[in-house]
Amino acid sequence: MAPKSFGQLGKNKTLTLLPIPVIFYQAETGFGYGLGGLLSGRFSTDTLTRPSNARVQYWTTQKGQSLLQLVHAIYTPGEKFYLNGEISAYDILLYYYGKGPNTVSADESETSYKLFIINQRLQKQIAPKLFFGAQYRLTDISKVDAPARNVDENRTNVFNSDPRVTERERQKTRISGLGPVITYDTRDVPLAAFHGSLLDFGATFNGTGLGSDYRFVRYQLDARHFQPIRSTKTILAMQFLGQFHTGDVPFRELAGIGANLGGTLYNNANLLRGIYEQRFRDRQMVMFQAELRQKLFWRIDAAVFGGVGNVSQYVDKFSLNNTKYAGGAGIRFNFLQRDRVNLRLDYAGGTGSAPGILFAIGEAF
């Protein structure tokens, strides 16, 4: 019998609705705080249909940043259709270091802007565990601002002086793209798999016919594998992700090491935790990471993780000398046992970034 959970809904108690507090600290934001709500469970009594989830959250920070976000990953009964994605509105402040693998921390510079994202997929099951469909992505940034000097106030803000950032990129910009996506997914529970694999490939064609200010194509390959070691008390999780672009790509859409890809579209994938978000960014990116997850006692688990990655302007110009490293350890609290929804607290560090503490809902990948 499945463990009972507070907040169960529906005639057959297959759904659970729970409030989740949000609290975090980052140097560029100060303390952040807010509230979220998580809906998790099956929209069917068919136990072969994997759990769905949807989450809404709002937070604000001491320095005035904010986020209002809805993310969802929905399996219809029998997994005939799979719908996932996000709608997010940010008032954001991030440090910018320039483009390429050789940016330096001394160039750390503030950038701020309002960011609106619609990122949605609709896929139909065409064979067992194989889904095919379309994805649409809209990003809109406005009120872009950067101080005249960098954080240390000893040189020009690199966002204003970077020769690879055009004046047009520093203005209000809309990106709109559509493309096909195919996914083979044998994971038992996508939020915290004990076993199974994911192979996902998609292409997004951004163009003026869709209302985009820039024309470019994004190709993304995401491969993951989850393997119990002797028993499900110890899980080895591995991920490879490559993101590649052709065409004219604005700074906000570049591939990034240390990126939080966001939303359930990427299962909230954190690429190389310990490296600051998009600390290294360019047109092409590859990365590999692994995590060992260990059941401890009651609802408490532990994890150790590490990874490597690289960015480059051109696919044939990746250099091993530019490889970036990240790693750390953390604890997990199994917040919702039935659907394996974990609250995650990690301590991590990496190339070009100070170690920090990360708090999130769900595993990193």
Side-chain angles (χ1 to χ4, degrees), residues 293-314:
R293 301 167 182 170
Q294 177 65 49
K295 177 70 177 177
L296 294 181
F297 61 90
W298 187 50
R299 298 190 180 200
I300 304 299
D301 300 343
V304 293
F305 51 87
V308 294
N310 210 338
V311 297
S312 175
Q313 186 173 3
Y314 304 104

Side-chain angles (χ1 to χ4, degrees), residues 66-226:
S66 64
L67 166 67
L68 178 61
Q69 181 182 65
L70 168 67
V71 296
H72 63 275
I74 307 297
Y75 293 95
T76 65
E79 297 193 355
K80 292 181 178 179
F81 290 93
Y82 181 38
L83 304 87
N84 64 332
E86 69 169 307
I87 302 174
S88 302
Y90 292 85
D91 191 343
I92 198 168
L93 186 153
L94 286 175
Y95 293 137
Y96 180 80
Y97 299 86
K99 298 180 182 181
N102 297 312
T103 57
V104 296
S105 298
D107 280 334
E108 185 174 81
S109 301
E110 289 185 1
T111 61
S112 63
Y113 45 86
K114 293 185 180 297
L115 171 64
F116 179 69
I117 298 175
I118 298 176
N119 210 355
Q120 298 291 323
R121 285 185 178 184
L122 173 59
Q123 294 173 267
K124 177 178 172 55
Q125 185 174 137
I126 59 175
K129 307 300 183 182
L130 182 65
F131 301 85
F132 178 77
Q135 58 185 357
Y136 174 74
R137 178 177 172 87
L138 170 77
T139 60
D140 187 283
I141 66 170
S142 59
K143 298 187 177 180
V144 183
D145 184 59
R149 310 293 287 177
N150 68 346
V151 170
D152 292 334
E153 296 189 348
N154 59 5
R155 64 183 72 185
T156 301
N157 186 313
V158 71
F159 182 70
N160 296 324
S161 62
D162 188 346
R164 290 186 59 192
V165 177
T166 66
E167 186 59 35
R168 178 64 186 87
E169 292 178 67
R170 302 184 182 102
Q171 302 172 14
K172 176 179 172 62
T173 300
R174 173 172 292 181
I175 304 299
S176 179
L178 181 67
V181 61
I182 187 166
T183 305
Y184 180 66
D185 188 358
T186 64
R187 295 172 299 172
D188 56 337
V189 176
L191 274 180
F194 284 172
H195 59 80
S197 300
L198 170 75
L199 185 62
D200 181 277
F201 178 77
T204 308
F205 299 87
N206 304 274
T208 54
L210 294 169
S212 180
D213 294 329
Y214 285 82
R215 298 179 62 185
F216 64 94
V217 183
R218 170 178 294 161
Y219 303 95
Q220 181 167 295
L221 175 65
D222 187 353
R224 310 181 193 188
H225 181 68
F226 302 87

Side-chain angles (χ1 to χ4, degrees), residues 236-252:
L236 175 63
M238 297 177 287
Q239 180 189 26
F240 168 86
L241 191 140
Q243 196 176 84
F244 311 98
H245 295 87
T246 62
D248 188 13
V249 190
F251 84 96
R252 182 60 185 74

